[in-house]
Amino acid sequence: MVKISKEAALAYHESGRPGKIEVKPTKAYRTQTDLSLAYSPGVAFPCLEIQDNPDDAYKYTDKGNLVAVISNGTAVLGLGDIGAMSGKPVMEGKGLLFKIYGGIDVFDIEVDEKDPEKFCEAVEKIAPTFGGINLEDIKAPECFYIEERLKRTLDIPVMHDDQHGTAIISAAGLKNALEVNGKSIKDVKIVVNGAGAAAISCTKLYIALGARKENILMLDSKGVITSDRENLNEQKRFFATERRDAHTLAEAINGADVFVGLSKGNVLTKEMVKTMAKDPVIFALANPVPEISYEDAMEARPDTLMATGRTDYPNQINNVIGFPYIFRGALDVHATAINEEMKMAAVNAIADLAKLPVPDVVNDVYKVNNLKFGRDYFIPKPVDPRLISEVSAAVARAAIESGVARKKIENWDEYKNSLSVLLGQETKLTQKLYATASAHPQRVVFAEGIHPTMLRAAVQAKAEGICQPILLGNDERIAKLAKELDLSLEGIEVVNLRHDNEAERRERFARILTQKRQRDGYTFEEANDKMFERNYFGMMMVETGEADAFITGLYTKYSNTIKVAKEVIGIRSEYKHFGTMHIINSPKGTLFLADTLINNNPNTEELVDLAKLSSTAVRFFNEKPVIAMVSHSNFGSDTSEGSRKVRKAVAELQEKNPEMIVDGEIQIGFALNREQRDSLYPFSRLKDKDVNTLVFPNLTSARSSYKMLQALAPDVEIIGPIQMGLNKPIHFTDFGSSVRDVVNITAVAVIDAYVEKIKKRINKV
């Protein structure tokens, strides 16, 4: 676990803009018209609509995406009653988590009031502002009354996360842990150490899952809560046992199947653990010091299934797995409450998600080869990108079915996709690519089958139905690597091109290539030697129709790959050059950048080809190209050679291709700022249009631009490089490509191959 110093924490909160959250406008505000629409007089119209129909607040304001995180600071983390103002950093932190995991806006509200009645009155008065209320860090037993009253008096979702967040996540974990060790929840003996808000809520949810009340012992600071104890509050009295044979934790845990700690650190000893039943489940959730350390628990009982609240051990019970997605689902259907059906739906969705294959991004974050459902993984990791779609959809569906939703969802697949887009995990473009590719899967050769990234990508692409992979490389080494990565090669063809049984195919490919390039000085012996190289062999598979597309580039230098592509595949007859493009998907829209890989310092002729190739490529993605030819100058403001070659290219394009929307030379800032560009350069063919395609004057500027975006804007999705201009679907990756990057390129290659087949059929007709 990373040690956090006081100095580092204070610097984090103080540096730059103090605090952790801010408010940003979501509508245009640059012109007088914008401001008149945003405020007076335009704002009067939505006000009147809401007066006539209060539910229109969800339509015209942020109410449907706005949650209040409210606290009085009486039970802040492990700090206790430190006061409302002192708890503000925690509430801001909760707001940050809501935003990054659920896309939900938050106002943190610290109410300096300990009287439950007055606190509730304050919350009730401000409730119309919000679509939901997250109560936070309010001490027991007041928190029980406050939540119950607000749930009764308000018509929006109210949840005390300290109670229900921990309950939902731990219930999902317990459900799965018992499945792993083969025990039934109705039969297990459960010891709950702690009797605060979280412990009470957790135990009630375990009962809802099927646990028997008579099999549960709950302890507070005085020991086991028994029915003969005096001065028990209503919540503790509910769990008071009739048993008189257990008063201490040591006595209670003897023979128990499950221990759930919601108390303080180091209260459970190794000797106590040794007395538990076979395959015990231990949830030591005190933070940062658990009731027993992971090491001590495993040493005492190696058969233990354990969870903690910490990130540095398996099976973290972390509320962030729940609350952003529970509120997301509730907000999206304009729910009036978060009820028991919605909580149980979240439990089941979280539990079910842990049983599915884990996305590569999760394995990468935790630096493991392959997490798999079992003793060390029975709770999803907080970074799992599927949580928002699976949990939120389950909660929304439960809200509709239980009758607390004001809004219906008709298309659940579309809703799940929108949630992925919301957090930038996917965009509509990538969703469309995957849907199209999976509808027309093709045979794709992966050059570097021995590379872990490419091997994972090939397996993932097959699992997603995008393609039928063919791996090139030593079959024994690939099988060994797949075993190390816990990947299945079932249904995936592996071709060891150096193997003797490939001799006939190497010679056949060599004869074809020799005949094709004989006027370039090729001999059969030279071509045959080249067939021992992955790029030559793989591209020949595509050239001869034995495969449909080819992916390479994780190992090979671009200069070599480009040379092979020209020799084996060749450039399309209508062009003299080929290039590559990167697609930038940002919250502001999609941009296409060229050339990002092939042409180092293109001359005028090459720039013309790149612009025409870019136009075709953009149309391939069902967009209408609006092309800016980029330079450091604007429309003749500089006379250097770099500017002149761009101007010449623009002039030729406009003369010979009048249908193209292209202009330049122009600086990027003006190209992308329509208002400023149109004001200063009203003569431009780009007038009144949003530029979506940038053709750069050289490779340095193109690569620098997208690499800078990649580094500075992590929420921007970058797809590429995508080749433009070769005769067959040969696509390149980058040295630093992730598994998802390679799968994205594979989807493009599959669609490219499918389109080529369609063209051939049309031409034959």
Side-chain angles (χ1 to χ4, degrees):
M1 188 176 185
V2 178
K3 182 174 176 58
I4 301 297
S5 68
K6 174 182 177 181
E7 292 75 17
L10 293 178
Y12 172 85
H13 285 78
E14 182 184 12
S15 63
R17 181 181 180 134
K20 297 188 285 285
I21 57 177
E22 66 176 345
V23 176
K24 288 187 175 181
T26 60
K27 298 292 189 293
Y29 54 86
R30 296 183 183 277
T31 68
Q32 183 60 46
T33 300
D34 292 336
L35 296 176
S36 296
L37 290 168
Y39 197 54
S40 181
V43 74
F45 295 104
C47 290
L48 294 173
E49 293 295 309
I50 294 169
Q51 184 182 33
D52 291 339
N53 180 15
D55 282 351
D56 276 354
Y58 288 97
K59 184 177 179 181
Y60 297 115
T61 76
D62 192 37
K63 179 182 176 75
N65 196 53
L66 186 61
V67 166
V69 174
I70 303 181
S71 177
N72 62 3
T74 54
V76 178
L77 294 177
L79 304 175
D81 186 354
I82 62 173
M85 184 66 75
S86 301
K88 182 173 173 60
V90 177
M91 306 313 132
E92 284 190 355
K94 196 65 176 281
L96 182 147
L97 296 177
F98 263 112
K99 188 66 176 180
I100 64 175
Y101 287 112
I104 295 170
D105 299 322
V106 162
F107 290 159
D108 65 289
I109 299 174
E110 292 71 40
V111 181
D112 188 14
E113 181 57 70
K114 294 183 179 180
D115 182 286
E117 293 288 343
K118 293 181 180 178
F119 181 89
C120 287
E121 288 173 6
V123 175
E124 287 162 352
K125 295 296 184 184
I126 63 173
T129 306
F130 303 99
I133 290 175
N134 182 102
L135 298 171
E136 192 78 13
D137 292 352
I138 303 170
K139 72 181 182 73
E142 289 91 334
C143 63
F144 299 115
Y145 170 79
I146 289 171
E147 186 189 44
E148 286 304 315
R149 168 167 162 174
L150 293 176
K151 286 171 67 175
R152 188 174 63 251
T153 59
L154 299 180
D155 65 346
I156 56 175
V158 177
M159 188 173 85
H160 184 211
D161 186 50
D162 299 314
Q163 294 182 59
H164 306 297
T166 305
I168 288 165
I169 313 309
S170 69
L174 180 59
K175 185 174 186 282
N176 280 352
L178 293 176
E179 182 175 329
V180 171
N181 70 13
K183 296 183 180 181
S184 171
I185 194 168
K186 65 182 177 60
D187 298 326
V188 295
K189 296 177 180 178
I190 301 174
V191 173
V192 180
N193 197 59
I200 296 293
S201 186
C202 285
T203 313
K204 285 184 176 180
L205 200 49
Y206 303 159
I207 292 173
L209 276 175
R212 293 177 179 172
K213 186 178 172 184
E214 59 267 26
N215 288 343
I216 298 172
L217 292 178
M218 182 176 285
L219 295 88
D220 60 11
S221 59
K222 297 178 182 179
V224 175
I225 300 173
T226 57
S227 57
D228 60 346
R229 289 250 307 261
E230 296 181 356
N231 300 320
L232 292 176
N233 62 36
E234 179 184 349
Q235 289 76 27
K236 290 184 180 181
R237 192 178 306 115
F238 178 80
F239 290 105
T241 181
E242 298 295 330
R243 288 175 54 182
R244 299 293 182 265
D245 60 335
H247 297 280
T248 65
L249 178 57
E251 292 169 343
I253 204 167
N254 189 7
D257 298 282
V258 177
F259 169 85
V260 178
L262 293 149
S263 51
K264 61 182 181 179
N266 297 323
V267 296
L268 184 65
T269 67
K270 290 193 283 187
E271 288 68 29
M272 294 180 191
V273 173
K274 290 177 182 178
T275 69
M276 294 181 72
K278 182 178 181 293
D279 294 318
V281 174
I282 296 177
F283 285 8
L285 306 183
N287 225 346
V289 181
E291 284 79 1
I292 184 171
S293 71
Y294 181 84
E295 292 82 1
D296 283 352
M298 300 309 294
E299 181 182 337
R301 290 291 296 274
D303 58 339
T304 296
L305 285 84
M306 188 167 182
T308 68
R310 293 174 49 151
T311 59
D312 51 345
Y313 294 114
N315 303 312
Q316 184 191 19
I317 303 292
N318 190 330
N319 283 18
V320 80
I321 295 173
F323 70 80
Y325 315 116
I326 294 166
F327 272 96
R328 178 77 274 156
L331 290 172
D332 289 341
V333 294
H334 304 170
T336 59
I338 293 174
N339 57 26
E340 297 308 308
E341 292 88 344
M342 295 160 74
K343 294 176 197 172
M344 192 57 70
V347 170
N348 291 326
I350 293 167
D352 291 344
L353 188 58
K355 300 171 190 175
L356 300 177
V358 178
D360 188 75
V361 64
V362 179
N363 288 318
D364 286 347
V365 168
Y366 289 91
K367 300 186 183 340
V368 295
N369 285 337
N370 194 18
L371 290 169
K372 183 182 292 185
F373 182 68
R375 289 180 174 273
D376 292 332
Y377 176 72
F378 51 78
I379 303 167
K381 299 292 187 181
V383 298
D384 195 317
R386 301 166 300 176
L387 282 163
I388 188 168
S389 56
E390 297 304 317
V391 179
S392 300
V395 170
R397 189 186 295 273
I400 293 170
E401 292 176 352
S402 63
V404 297
R406 296 184 181 95
K407 178 184 175 183
K408 306 295 182 186
I409 293 175
E410 303 296 340
N411 188 323
W412 289 97
D413 289 338
E414 186 177 297
Y415 172 60
K416 285 186 175 184
N417 288 340
S418 71
L419 293 172
S420 296
V421 171
L422 177 69
L423 292 190
Q425 296 161 7
E426 291 183 359
T427 63
K428 290 181 179 178
L429 175 60
T430 53
Q431 287 177 357
K432 189 172 183 179
L433 288 177
Y434 278 56
T436 305
S438 60
H440 309 284
Q442 306 289 308
R443 298 163 299 169
V444 178
V445 180
F446 293 84
E448 297 114 342
I450 196 61
H451 194 294
T453 298
M454 191 159 278
L455 180 57
R456 282 189 175 124
V459 172
Q460 187 170 324
K462 183 179 186 301
E464 297 193 23
I466 291 173
C467 73
Q468 177 55 54
I470 302 169
L471 299 171
L472 297 186
N474 184 293
D475 49 342
E476 293 180 358
R477 290 180 63 194
I478 289 175
K480 182 181 178 183
L481 179 61
K483 186 175 181 180
E484 291 173 357
L485 299 177
D486 198 17
L487 299 173
S488 172
L489 295 177
E490 184 179 354
I492 295 179
E493 182 181 354
V494 178
V495 175
N496 187 343
L497 54 94
R498 293 177 174 270
H499 202 280
D500 288 345
N501 62 12
E502 290 295 339
E504 184 279 327
R505 184 151 53 167
R506 288 196 303 269
E507 292 179 8
R508 177 162 51 86
F509 286 173
R511 284 193 296 270
I512 295 170
L513 183 59
T514 302
Q515 186 176 6
K516 185 176 183 178
R517 311 299 301 189
Q518 58 191 0
R519 290 291 179 178
D520 297 316
Y522 258 76
T523 65
F524 172 77
E525 289 75 15
E526 181 184 5
N528 196 30
D529 284 345
K530 288 181 175 180
M531 289 309 135
F532 286 94
E533 298 178 27
R534 290 186 303 269
N535 284 329
Y536 275 101
F537 189 93
M539 290 189 199
M540 281 303 300
M541 290 181 71
V542 177
E543 176 68 9
T544 59
E546 294 179 30
D548 303 307
F550 181 70
I551 308 291
T552 187
L554 287 177
Y555 282 142
T556 316
K557 290 183 179 179
Y558 295 133
S559 56
N560 181 56
T561 309
I562 293 165
K563 176 178 177 291
V564 177
K566 287 181 177 179
E567 290 180 4
V568 177
I569 301 298
I571 297 170
R572 293 182 180 179
S573 59
E574 62 267 39
Y575 302 107
K576 294 181 180 179
H577 313 90
F578 79 105
T580 62
M581 167 182 284
H582 272 78
I583 303 175
I584 311 297
N585 280 315
S586 76
K588 292 187 176 181
T590 302
L591 275 178
F592 301 87
L593 276 57
D595 168 35
T596 53
L597 184 64
I598 305 299
N599 300 282
N600 186 38
N601 189 24
N603 57 29
T604 297
E605 180 186 79
E606 289 169 322
L607 285 173
V608 168
D609 263 9
L610 288 173
K612 290 158 67 177
L613 285 166
S614 297
S615 179
T616 301
V618 172
R619 292 183 188 280
F620 177 84
F621 292 103
N622 292 319
E623 298 280 347
K624 184 176 181 179
V626 179
I627 305 171
M629 303 290 283
V630 176
S631 180
H632 64 277
S633 56
N634 291 306
F635 301 106
S637 63
D638 183 83
T639 58
S640 65
E641 175 58 28
S643 297
R644 286 203 305 272
K645 72 175 183 180
V646 178
R647 281 201 298 279
K648 289 178 183 177
V650 170
E652 182 175 334
L653 287 165
Q654 291 182 344
E655 178 185 353
K656 296 182 179 180
N657 302 273
E659 77 287 352
M660 286 181 64
I661 304 173
V662 58
D663 213 337
E665 87 279 19
I666 188 170
Q667 295 175 1
I668 289 181
F670 289 107
L672 298 180
N673 188 327
R674 185 171 73 175
E675 182 180 319
Q676 195 176 45
R677 181 190 68 227
D678 290 358
S679 173
L680 291 174
Y681 309 109
F683 57 83
S684 169
R685 290 195 182 185
L686 304 175
K687 190 174 188 302
D688 296 328
K689 297 176 178 63
D690 291 319
V691 168
N692 61 5
T693 308
L694 302 174
V695 177
F696 288 83
N698 55 56
L699 186 59
T700 299
S701 58
R703 285 187 70 81
S704 297
S705 294
Y706 90 80
K707 286 291 186 182
M708 182 172 66
L709 282 171
Q710 196 173 45
L712 298 180
D715 58 334
V716 169
E717 180 189 42
I718 299 178
I719 302 174
I722 297 161
Q723 74 89 357
M724 310 180 296
L726 290 174
N727 277 319
K728 297 285 177 70
I730 306 300
H731 286 267
F732 312 105
T733 57
D734 216 334
F735 288 116
S737 294
S738 67
V739 172
R740 178 51 62 179
D741 292 334
V742 179
V743 177
N744 285 344
I745 291 297
T746 303
V748 173
V750 167
I751 299 169
D752 195 0
Y754 175 67
V755 170
E756 286 300 310
K757 288 183 177 180
I758 295 298
K759 287 180 180 177
K760 286 182 179 179
R761 290 176 197 164
I762 293 172
N763 290 336
K764 284 182 179 180
V765 174

